[in-house]
């Protein structure tokens, strides 16, 4: 019998028969992670379940709840556990996952009837019983035909539709008891590890709550985001009107050659929303003089600001833009992060005193000379370019700190109109698997960084955790202070972005530390049928990332 050499998490090596499961290796070595139960493993830098069979020499690394990968596995497994409970408690109702909200996922039933307190309690009780029983969650392969038959029979129509646009002969699935679901990534080896969760009624649905990233073994207090919830609900209604709520339905449109009309409607709905925001600003024209636009990385803030300027001009305003990047303090005054590197996302990396002096002068009708910051030398100098705020003028500023009043402490709140921009996709992969807003933005950034900054995928993947930490510190805490939120996601965009992203991600090799992340994104993007880029309008927000925009940046 052939054998494989396995480098264990503790640094030792041992040989095992080919085909040995990872779980057997960990049991044989009585491996103790020292950081809680093992959720999954990195096998030669690829994230896999403990049911993975070893067929080549392998280096193993344990994945626990204290890692980002482990938290993804945990949350995905909680969704599976909820699906098991719903199949038992409400077999005649069809559970559908929604969006993330307050360290949890929002759920509803597709009959649109409000969930009762009793139903929430019964679901929670059943989930807890499954945890106490510590049932095995098994990954296996089944034939394409068997998978299609099962998902159709169990009314998991979006899952079946997703498969109809794939041609894999064998489909990886996870099973536990009577429940089976398609595999979009590893799940925990057994239900006993899923002890930290809570179901919270949130009309008309409920929220499956899980621990925070930085406190993986405890549920923190629930923090709702009414402004984001309202935006999600609005876009879900648009999805229902257009009959597009999943990747499979989007793929159907693409292969039936109806995608061009769908793109026109999606872009028109987005432009309509921008026009409505301009109308809101017009209604407050007596006081709102400065439009502050903020949002996380790759949310499309820059193109949104340009499109909003057009709509404001239609209403008789004279928009004037200021770039916050030119107000950076000199390099030697830039704050340092915890690793001793320059923290350009820190609020104090901006010369707040000079910025506010200029804003006050503009509001008083004075002329100012804009500064010019050189990223190459790290110094600031006069630009020689002067501006003023004309009659019916409105100032537009876009930057990550726009919603934080510490950026503009000398400007009255009544003079400010705040807009929060993010890419809050309403599409699901299928019935029980959502599309992460964060993944949507990461794929946008991968494409943009390569197109316009000369970065390869590995550089962007390495940078992303730092970007996310900055967003959690500087952007998300202030999102509900916005006067209005704008959703920059376009339901068709992943079909376009995949054309750029797949070859970039293919360049990340198994010996790179970010390989498992590249593989995850590659697998995710394979769920989307390609959409030709030529169908994207030149003034679309998507052009900010794929190029050939009608706007100058």
């Amino acid at each position: 019998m052939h054998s494989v050499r396995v480098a264990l998490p503790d640094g030792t090596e041992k040989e095992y028969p080919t085909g040995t499961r990872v779980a057997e290796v960990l049991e044989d070595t009585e491996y103790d992670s020292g950081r809680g139960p093992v959720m999954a493993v990195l096998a030669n830098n690829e994230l896999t379940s403990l049911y993975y069979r070893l067929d080549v020499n392998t280096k193993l690394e344990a994945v626990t709840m204290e890692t980002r990968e482990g938290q993804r596995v945990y949350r995905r497994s909680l969704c599976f556990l909820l699906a098991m409970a719903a199949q038992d408690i409400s077999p005649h109702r069809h559970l559908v996952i929604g969006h993330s909200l307050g360290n949890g996922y929002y759920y509803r039933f597709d009959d649109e009837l409000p969930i009762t307190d009793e139903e929430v309690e019964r679901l929670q009780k059943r989930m807890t019983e499954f945890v106490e029983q510590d049932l095995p969650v098994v990954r296996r392969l089944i034939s394409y035909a068997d998978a299609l038959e099962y998902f159709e029979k169990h009314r998991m129509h979006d899952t079946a539709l997703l498969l109809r646009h794939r041609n894999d002969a064998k489909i990886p699935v996870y099973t536990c008891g009577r429940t089976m679901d398609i595999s979009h990534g590893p799940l925990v080896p057994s239900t006993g590890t899923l002890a930290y969760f809570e179901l919270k009624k949130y009309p008309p649905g409920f929220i499956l709550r899980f621990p925070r990233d930085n406190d993986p073994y405890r549920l923190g207090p629930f923090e709702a985001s009414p402004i984001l919830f309202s935006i999600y609900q609005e876009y879900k209604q648009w999805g229902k009107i257009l009959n597009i709520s999943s990747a499979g339905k989007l793929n159907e449109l693409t292969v039936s050659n109806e995608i061009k009309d769908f793109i026109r409607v999606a872009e028109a709905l987005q432009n309509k929303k921008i026009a409505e925001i301009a109308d809101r600003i017009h209604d407050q024209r007596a006081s709102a003089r400065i439009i502050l636009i903020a949002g996380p990385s790759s949310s499309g803030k820059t193109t949104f600001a340009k499109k909003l300027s057009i709509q404001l001009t239609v209403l008789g305003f004279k928009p004037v833009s200021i770039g916050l990047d030119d107000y950076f303090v000199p390099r030697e005054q830039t704050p340092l992060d915890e690793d001793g590197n320059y923290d350009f996302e820190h609020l104090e990396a901006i010369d707040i005193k000079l910025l506010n002096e200029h804003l006050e002068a503009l509001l008083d009708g004075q002329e100012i000379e804009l500064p010019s910051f050189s990223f190459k030398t790290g110094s600031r100098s006069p630009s020689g370019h002067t501006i003023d705020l004309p009659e019916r003028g409105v100032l537009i500023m876009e930057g990550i700190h726009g919603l934080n009043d510490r950026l503009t402490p000398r400007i009255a709140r009544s003079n400010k109109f705040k807009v929060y921009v993010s890419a809050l996709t309403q599409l699901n992969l299928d019935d029980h698997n959502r599309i992460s807003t964060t993944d949507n933005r990461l794929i946008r950034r991968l494409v943009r960084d390569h197109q316009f900054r000369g970065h390869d995928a590995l550089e962007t993947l390495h940078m992303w955790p730092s970007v996310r930490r900055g967003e959690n510190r500087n952007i998300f805490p202030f999102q509900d202070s916005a006067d209005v939120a704008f959703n920059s996601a376009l339901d068709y965009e992943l079909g376009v972005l995949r054309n750029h992203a797949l070859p970039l991600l293919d360049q990340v090799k198994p010996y790179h530390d970010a390989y498992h992340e590249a593989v995850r994104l590659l697998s995710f993007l394979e769920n989307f049928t390609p959409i030709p880029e030529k169908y994207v309008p030149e003034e679309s927000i998507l052009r900010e990332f794929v190029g050939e925009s009608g706007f100058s940046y």
Side-chain angles (χ1 to χ4, degrees):
M1 178 182 290
H2 292 292
S3 64
V4 294
R5 188 172 66 255
V6 181
L8 299 167
D10 61 7
T12 61
E13 289 191 3
K14 195 171 181 180
E15 288 199 357
Y16 291 90
T18 300
T20 301
R21 295 187 187 276
V22 169
E24 297 174 56
V25 173
L26 296 183
E27 289 172 5
D28 176 57
T29 58
E30 297 183 347
Y31 176 74
D32 181 8
S33 72
R35 297 185 300 172
V38 178
M39 304 281 109
V41 295
L42 289 173
N44 289 336
N45 227 352
E46 184 173 359
L47 189 66
T48 65
S49 78
L50 300 194
Y51 285 92
Y52 177 75
R53 291 187 181 274
L54 301 169
D55 54 5
V56 296
N57 292 340
T58 304
K59 178 182 178 182
L60 290 182
E61 182 180 343
V63 173
T64 69
M65 275 278 280
E66 296 185 16
T67 65
R68 182 175 54 166
E69 294 78 15
Q71 288 161 6
R72 283 202 188 106
V73 173
Y74 187 86
R75 293 168 188 179
R76 191 162 47 238
S77 303
L78 274 183
C79 295
F80 184 84
L81 184 71
L82 175 57
M84 288 175 59
Q87 189 172 340
D88 271 14
I89 300 300
S90 304
H92 303 298
R93 302 185 74 185
H94 185 57
L95 188 67
V96 179
I97 194 170
H99 47 82
S100 60
L101 188 72
N103 291 300
Y105 298 143
Y106 176 76
Y107 277 85
R108 61 181 174 82
F109 286 103
D110 69 351
D111 57 19
E112 301 296 342
L113 296 174
I115 192 167
T116 65
D117 291 329
E118 181 189 4
E119 285 176 300
V120 172
E121 290 172 8
R122 291 175 65 204
L123 284 170
Q124 170 118 8
K125 181 180 178 183
R126 195 72 182 107
M127 291 174 72
T128 301
E129 289 170 351
F130 286 143
V131 172
E132 292 170 349
Q133 292 168 19
D134 195 20
L135 304 171
V137 182
V138 180
R139 184 186 188 274
R140 60 192 181 96
L141 296 174
I142 63 175
S143 74
Y144 180 90
D146 287 346
L148 207 56
E149 179 184 3
Y150 177 89
F151 294 128
E152 291 285 14
K153 178 181 177 181
H154 287 80
R155 297 190 303 126
M156 297 170 67
H157 302 305
D158 283 338
T159 307
L161 192 56
L162 196 63
L163 288 182
R164 290 191 182 279
H165 295 279
R166 293 171 56 172
N167 60 357
D168 311 77
K170 300 174 183 177
I171 305 298
V173 296
Y174 279 93
T175 60
C176 185
R178 297 187 299 112
T179 302
M180 183 169 78
D181 207 348
I182 195 169
S183 167
H184 290 291
L187 299 185
V188 296
S190 68
T191 58
T193 58
L194 301 174
Y196 311 101
F197 70 90
E198 177 190 48
L199 299 187
K200 179 178 178 62
K201 187 177 176 184
Y202 200 87
F206 65 97
I207 295 172
L208 170 61
R209 299 191 60 227
F210 44 71
R212 297 171 178 269
D213 292 351
N214 59 359
D215 194 2
Y217 301 111
R218 187 178 69 87
L219 289 175
F222 175 67
E223 297 177 3
S225 180
I227 192 167
L228 289 189
F229 186 72
S230 66
I231 292 296
Y232 273 122
Q233 293 299 92
E234 178 183 20
Y235 275 75
K236 275 293 181 186
Q237 285 301 116
W238 284 5
K240 287 175 63 178
I241 292 168
L242 299 173
N243 195 30
I244 294 293
S245 58
S246 68
K249 289 180 179 177
L250 177 66
N251 293 339
E252 267 197 329
L253 274 186
T254 303
V255 299
S256 64
N257 208 28
E258 298 176 44
I259 194 64
K260 286 189 285 186
D261 288 338
F262 177 77
I263 289 173
R264 292 189 191 101
V265 174
E267 293 284 348
L269 284 170
Q270 200 169 81
N271 289 336
K272 181 176 181 290
K273 185 64 180 180
I274 296 173
E276 290 173 358
I277 293 173
D279 288 338
R280 286 273 304 273
I281 295 170
H282 184 267
D283 291 341
Q284 298 181 37
R285 62 190 179 278
S287 59
R289 306 286 306 283
I290 301 177
I291 314 304
L292 294 158
I293 300 167
S297 174
S298 301
S299 56
K301 301 181 293 294
T302 303
T303 306
F304 168 78
K306 292 178 181 295
K307 297 182 83 164
L308 180 63
S309 291
I310 293 172
Q311 295 293 341
L312 290 171
T313 302
V314 169
L315 296 175
F317 287 102
K318 295 180 180 177
V320 176
S321 296
I322 282 186
L324 282 177
D325 284 357
D326 285 320
Y327 284 87
F328 275 126
V329 297
R331 184 70 43 83
E332 64 274 10
Q333 297 177 25
T334 304
L336 304 179
D337 64 17
E338 55 270 20
D339 298 319
N341 301 315
Y342 290 118
D343 187 355
F344 296 109
E345 295 188 345
H346 197 288
L347 180 65
E348 292 176 11
I350 296 172
D351 190 335
I352 295 174
K353 180 175 181 292
L354 178 63
L355 173 65
N356 281 263
E357 287 173 357
H358 281 184
L359 294 180
E360 286 183 316
L362 287 169
L363 293 181
D364 287 341
Q366 301 174 35
E367 183 179 82
I368 66 163
E369 180 179 7
L370 291 171
S372 176
F373 185 84
S374 169
F375 284 91
K376 184 176 182 180
T377 65
S379 60
R380 195 178 64 214
S381 59
S383 67
H385 177 55
T386 60
I387 63 169
D388 61 10
L389 204 55
E391 185 179 354
R392 294 189 65 82
V394 61
L395 200 60
I396 295 182
M397 291 200 310
E398 172 254 311
I400 63 171
H401 297 289
L403 303 185
N404 186 348
D405 281 325
R406 288 177 57 207
L407 176 71
T408 52
R410 289 159 61 170
I411 308 302
R413 179 62 178 91
S414 59
N415 290 148
K416 295 182 280 195
F417 189 94
K418 300 180 182 181
V419 185
Y420 177 70
V421 180
S422 193
L424 310 173
T425 179
Q426 64 89 22
L427 283 183
N428 290 337
L429 273 180
D430 55 27
D431 306 72
H432 299 148
N433 295 278
R434 59 185 287 274
I435 293 175
S436 162
T437 292
T438 302
D439 283 348
N440 199 33
R441 292 191 294 107
L442 173 54
I443 291 165
R444 281 181 170 187
R445 176 139 183 176
L446 281 165
V447 173
R448 186 186 66 187
D449 280 2
H450 179 261
Q451 292 278 84
F452 304 111
R453 300 176 183 176
H455 294 175
D456 59 23
L458 193 61
E459 289 177 279
T460 301
L461 293 174
H462 280 160
M463 191 188 311
W464 191 243
S466 174
V467 171
R468 295 281 293 129
R469 286 193 296 271
E471 292 170 350
N472 288 331
R473 183 177 66 239
N474 299 317
I475 299 173
F476 298 137
F478 306 100
Q479 62 192 14
D480 282 302
S481 70
D483 295 292
V484 68
F486 173 72
N487 188 353
S488 71
L490 291 156
D491 286 343
Y492 71 88
E493 67 179 83
L494 287 167
V496 177
L497 289 167
R498 77 182 296 282
N499 305 327
H500 293 268
L502 290 181
L504 298 177
L505 292 165
D506 274 334
Q507 295 173 22
V508 182
K509 303 306 178 186
Y511 51 78
H512 290 134
D513 56 358
Y515 178 69
H516 63 276
E517 185 73 344
V519 168
R520 184 181 70 83
L521 294 172
L522 280 166
S523 176
F524 167 67
L525 287 169
E526 288 291 354
N527 290 294
F528 296 88
T529 300
I531 295 174
E533 186 183 312
K534 64 183 179 181
Y535 297 158
V536 182
E538 68 172 12
E539 293 187 353
S540 171
I541 281 176
L542 188 53
R543 287 287 176 191
E544 182 176 330
F545 307 97
V546 300
E548 298 188 18
S549 174
F551 295 110
S552 297
Y553 297 99

